[in-house]
Amino acid sequence: MTAWNEDTEAGAAESGSVTVLEGSSFCISAGTGDISSDGGTNGAFFQDTRIISHWVLRVNGSLREPLSAQRPKPFEATFVGRAKWPDGRFDSPLVVRQVRHIGPGLQDDITLENYSAEPVECEVELLVAADQADLFDVKGGRIPATHETTRSVRDGQLVIENVRDGQQRGTAVRARGADVSLDGLRFRASIPARGKWTTSVIVVPLINGQAPAEAFTETGIPHHREGVRRHRHWEQNVPLITVADANLQVTLNRSQSDLGSLRIFDPHHPERAAVAAGAPWFMALFGRDSILSSYMSLMVDPKLAAGTLQTLAGLQGTKVDLDSEEEPGRIPHEVRLGVTAGLAVGGTAYYGTADATPLFAALVGELSRWGLSKDVVQPLLPHVDRALEWIDQYGDRDGDGFVEYLRPNTHGLVNQGWKDSWDGINFADGTMAEAPIALCEVQAYVYGAYVGRSLLAHWDGDRDLESHWAKRAEDLKAAFNEKFWLPEKGYFAVALDKDKRPVDACTSNMGHCLWMGIVDEDKAPSVVEHLMSPQMFTGWGIRTLGSDMGAYNPVSYHNGSVWPHDSALVATGLMRYGFVEEARLLATGILDAAEHFDGRLPELFCGFDRGEFEGPVPYPTACSPQAWAAAAPIQLIRALLRFDPVYTRGVVHLAPILPEDMGDFQAANVLLDTSRITIRAHGTGGSIDGLPPGLKMLAEPRPHLAYPPQAYPA
């Protein structure tokens, strides 16, 4: 069995590949639209199973000459190519259009257009394979040698099936007028002069012989499917953001569109939208990733955070299971549907993460301040309390007040924070830290959970409970600033190792501690100085690890690369502590980087200095679109606006510090409680129209959510 931690990175996609996705379904193909079964990662996937592994279209015995590949919608792509004329003439007048739709299966609408003045007879063949491989195996490049499928022609369709782990997975492929054989579909196309020939090829996934609901059909219209309606509704209801800076406008538009495409829905609660981690390999619910992504997307749609929390609450741990690392109250790390998911993660849900549980509790508190009604927040409170019980009973393994992690098996993640690669936590000399490990940012998240629960109790009028959790937060903050602070270095240790030694590498993790407010005021200037030093700040963003550290590698996954979401949270932390110019410089760097990626920030990019190359250097296996990267520009704008609702106190903070060259900014249709507000800003001035009754705007930054909250009356 392959250890979980060996496979945290995405597999490399082919250069020029095209990805379409809807919900957890996705398809990766070459720029021609073809999918080759050469052992690569391309294919169409449904419920974490590759339902198409080979899909090659030939016209008159030859591949098409590619002309264009366009993706007008996340779930749709159009491939245009030139086909060979039967006599092989140069400059063929035969054009192929292939429109692909992804959803609960796949549909390819293929059109041959004859621009000649003479009719033509064409041989069209589509060669098909479906290895039914599990997504984990495909991503890791390890399709089992014993993996065999059966092929049959039944009821005019090619059926390819495989039985693994007691489940039968299959693919049915059909098209009207096709000659179906064991290797694919063939057509004899008669195309009149200046005319067209069309067909629709339908792919239906089968689970134990059953097709999914809303599978593609010959009579259905792809654009009328539920997934398409959901995306259209999303685009019509997200905020309308306008900004004078054209490049920033492109980035913010793309961020909102990508967040919409990365939503997934619980079939048992179709009204709930949660956010998947990223395309293509992480189109699944991830505890930490989904929570942080939905937090950073609050200004786009707070209901995304509500749906994410509600979905995770339904998966909260109830028992101790060493295989899946489930524990009572624990929030899962990842949820998968493939037939071999049980082999990889101990079941459909894997719980091996130290941070999702405190982040869950902290985000519930944030939702109450954002203005979500008690009807949404109140049912989540028992889950918050169970999460806090997990922190005490299971997270704090040795009773020292800090949450540690140590996998109880041989296949789980070795590192269980956001830097979850096997070599992600190390000392300044490059030596790897040994578990149990207490990460600095996890303690900050726990602090945020305690503060959040205290403020939720205040909202409920329970003063005793409010005081209890405020005291817990105060005690944790004091202990953290004592045990994690490195006075000789002037920054916080990234972790405490198994012997409670401070792991002394200089990392971006301590920026998350600023974000949550656990850092003592007198230590913040030194922390900021290190974060913004040339060793950490590349000019594009904050490195995950300082360039003067022993394990530094700018082309590593977690030891020197730049992650946009990480930098966005660091920028938010800088702003929280009043380091306005540093926050603005960091935010500008990340937004400048987005311009070099055509407005779509990837999961991560390499950690080279800005002066070394004309633009940020891409990381070869980065996911794109990826949820927390897509949410990063939204969070950066919110930080630059210093826009913070504190609905439970009857105020909304707006104190912009936008760069002058950004020009006028406006966000209309922003959801706050049940009202739609409009935020306007330029430089250091701003206003809000449409505030709900009883809510007052304060033109000053939000104070720390400390106890007692001195800026507000009790």
Side-chain angles (χ1 to χ4, degrees):
M1 185 186 304
T2 301
W4 183 253
N5 57 285
E6 292 180 15
D7 196 22
T8 55
E9 292 189 47
E14 293 180 13
S15 177
S17 62
V18 175
T19 301
V20 289
L21 63 148
E22 182 192 287
S24 61
S25 299
F26 64 93
C27 179
I28 315 172
S29 70
T32 61
D34 284 346
I35 298 166
S36 175
S37 59
D38 59 359
T41 57
N42 286 5
F45 294 79
F46 175 77
Q47 291 196 357
D48 294 338
T49 300
R50 184 157 64 177
I51 59 170
I52 293 292
S53 54
H54 189 75
W55 188 264
V56 174
L57 182 67
R58 293 179 180 271
V59 180
N60 298 322
S62 298
L63 299 175
R64 295 153 289 164
E65 177 186 4
L67 297 175
S68 174
Q70 299 179 358
R71 201 184 75 139
K73 297 291 182 183
F75 45 79
E76 178 186 317
T78 298
F79 306 95
V80 182
R82 184 163 61 174
K84 180 181 178 181
W85 196 258
D87 63 8
R89 75 172 68 168
F90 179 72
D91 201 23
S92 168
L94 197 56
V95 172
V96 183
R97 296 177 189 265
Q98 185 174 355
V99 180
R100 174 162 297 156
H101 309 271
I102 191 70
L106 182 142
Q107 177 173 327
D108 265 9
D109 298 327
I110 301 169
T111 302
L112 271 64
E113 298 183 70
N114 177 13
Y115 287 92
S116 166
E118 58 185 289
V120 65
E121 296 285 324
C122 293
E123 296 287 341
V124 181
E125 63 177 351
L126 182 64
L127 302 178
V128 180
D131 60 10
Q132 310 301 334
D134 188 88
L135 178 140
F136 281 111
D137 294 336
V138 176
K139 184 163 72 80
R142 50 175 189 269
I143 308 301
T146 57
H147 193 79
E148 296 181 357
T149 57
T150 60
R151 293 169 172 259
S152 61
V153 176
R154 302 201 301 260
D155 301 323
Q157 56 187 0
L158 171 61
V159 179
I160 307 173
E161 294 175 303
N162 172 267
V163 177
R164 295 180 72 188
D165 302 317
Q167 275 202 54
Q168 184 184 64
R169 293 290 180 111
T171 303
V173 185
R174 66 179 188 268
R176 286 176 177 167
D179 178 16
V180 182
S181 66
L182 292 179
D183 61 354
L185 283 63
R186 288 171 177 80
F187 309 85
R188 181 75 180 176
S190 299
I191 313 174
R194 309 291 182 188
K196 299 178 181 180
W197 172 88
T198 64
T199 190
S200 290
V201 183
I202 305 291
V203 177
V204 177
L206 303 172
I207 299 179
N208 297 322
Q210 297 297 311
E214 275 214 335
F216 290 99
T217 66
E218 289 81 0
T219 57
I221 301 175
H223 286 119
H224 289 181
R225 291 177 298 109
E226 178 63 25
V228 176
R229 291 195 295 271
R230 283 171 171 164
H231 193 79
R232 189 179 300 120
H233 183 266
W234 167 269
E235 292 185 327
Q236 291 169 347
N237 286 276
V238 293
L240 177 61
I241 297 176
T242 53
V243 60
D245 184 323
N247 291 318
L248 180 57
Q249 182 77 65
V250 169
T251 297
L252 294 174
N253 289 349
R254 177 155 280 181
S255 287
Q256 291 197 134
S257 178
D258 284 345
L259 286 168
S261 72
L262 292 169
R263 293 175 306 152
I264 53 179
F265 294 83
D266 182 347
H268 302 294
H269 299 279
E271 75 286 356
R272 294 178 185 171
V275 62
W281 301 114
F282 303 117
M283 288 305 298
L285 186 67
F286 278 69
R288 170 205 318 119
D289 303 53
S290 299
I291 290 170
L292 287 178
S293 299
S294 59
Y295 164 80
M296 293 192 291
S297 306
L298 282 169
M299 208 166 83
V300 172
D301 186 3
K303 292 179 181 177
L304 192 56
T308 296
L309 290 170
Q310 289 164 341
T311 304
L312 288 169
L315 296 161
Q316 191 170 24
T318 59
K319 63 183 184 299
V320 173
D321 184 328
L322 299 184
D323 254 2
S324 68
E325 302 184 42
E326 179 181 358
E327 291 166 339
R330 197 174 198 180
I331 297 298
H333 169 62
E334 181 174 357
V335 181
R336 289 292 187 180
L337 300 171
V339 294
T340 62
L343 296 178
V345 301
T348 57
Y350 170 64
Y351 290 78
T353 184
D355 48 18
T357 307
L359 281 170
F360 175 91
L363 183 55
V364 174
E366 184 75 20
L367 281 192
S368 71
R369 296 187 290 278
W370 196 268
L372 270 77
S373 69
K374 287 197 173 184
D375 290 345
V376 174
V377 175
Q378 209 72 31
L380 292 169
L381 286 184
H383 298 279
V384 170
D385 289 336
R386 290 179 57 210
L388 295 172
E389 289 172 6
W390 175 86
I391 290 171
D392 281 344
Q393 297 178 19
Y394 298 95
D396 183 3
R397 303 173 58 86
D398 54 11
D400 67 345
F402 300 128
V403 170
E404 303 91 4
Y405 61 79
L406 173 69
R407 65 174 182 175
N409 51 49
T410 59
H411 58 264
L413 285 164
V414 168
N415 285 314
Q416 299 192 354
W418 85 261
K419 294 177 181 176
D420 56 5
S421 50
W422 65 276
D423 61 347
I425 307 299
N426 44 71
F427 288 84
D429 64 3
T431 306
M432 284 193 291
E434 293 184 54
I437 290 173
L439 292 169
C440 68
E441 79 272 18
V442 170
Q443 316 318 313
Y445 303 157
V446 173
Y447 174 79
Y450 291 168
V451 169
R453 188 64 185 95
S454 175
L455 295 175
L456 286 166
H458 178 93
W459 193 27
D460 275 343
D462 189 336
R463 295 296 181 257
D464 289 341
L465 195 61
E466 177 186 9
S467 178
H468 169 79
W469 288 111
K471 182 66 165 58
R472 290 290 302 271
E474 183 183 346
D475 291 347
L476 175 58
K477 183 173 183 176
F480 173 81
N481 281 273
E482 177 187 352
K483 298 294 185 182
F484 281 76
W485 181 246
L486 303 172
E488 71 285 359
K489 293 181 180 289
Y491 58 77
F492 285 97
V494 64
L496 304 180
D497 76 351
K498 65 182 178 65
D499 298 316
K500 298 301 176 183
R501 292 184 303 161
V503 182
D504 60 349
C506 185
T507 68
S508 62
N509 302 53
M510 60 185 169
H512 294 225
C513 300
L514 292 173
W515 167 47
M516 281 291 179
I518 198 174
V519 175
D520 283 343
E521 293 285 346
D522 63 338
K523 297 179 176 64
S526 181
V527 171
V528 174
E529 182 180 350
H530 280 89
L531 286 169
M532 298 304 294
S533 69
Q535 290 76 33
M536 291 294 290
F537 181 50
T538 69
W540 301 116
I542 302 292
R543 291 187 178 97
T544 45
L545 180 69
S547 59
D548 55 347
M549 296 291 107
Y552 171 70
N553 172 7
V555 194
S556 73
Y557 198 55
H558 285 134
N559 287 324
S561 54
V562 173
W563 290 62
H565 89 279
D566 184 36
S567 289
L569 293 176
V570 173
T572 306
L574 296 175
M575 200 71 81
R576 282 277 181 262
Y577 279 79
F579 293 89
V580 172
E581 289 308 315
E582 291 85 351
R584 185 155 47 189
L585 180 62
L586 175 53
T588 301
I590 287 289
L591 294 173
D592 286 349
E595 183 180 340
H596 290 270
F597 292 104
D598 296 324
R600 173 182 284 157
L601 284 166
E603 176 187 20
L604 71 157
F605 51 86
C606 296
F608 295 106
D609 284 321
R610 186 163 181 165
E612 290 188 66
F613 302 98
E614 289 187 4
V617 177
Y619 186 80
T621 61
C623 281
S624 185
Q626 205 253 10
W628 56 20
I634 306 295
Q635 178 62 26
L636 288 170
I637 290 298
R638 182 184 167 194
L640 290 171
L641 290 169
R642 292 194 287 189
F643 174 66
D644 273 302
V646 188
Y647 202 87
T648 50
R649 299 287 180 175
V651 298
V652 177
H653 296 271
L654 181 69
I657 48 96
L658 301 180
E660 279 298 326
D661 58 3
M662 187 182 292
D664 291 332
F665 173 90
Q666 177 176 297
N669 204 41
V670 176
L671 183 62
L672 190 61
D673 188 22
T674 57
S675 299
R676 294 284 180 172
I677 65 172
T678 298
I679 304 167
R680 294 185 177 88
H682 183 108
T684 57
S687 64
I688 302 176
D689 293 338
L691 280 178
L695 214 54
K696 176 185 177 183
M697 189 191 111
L698 296 180
E700 57 190 41
R702 191 202 79 187
H704 289 310
L705 293 171
Y707 183 86
Q710 299 173 356
Y712 309 116

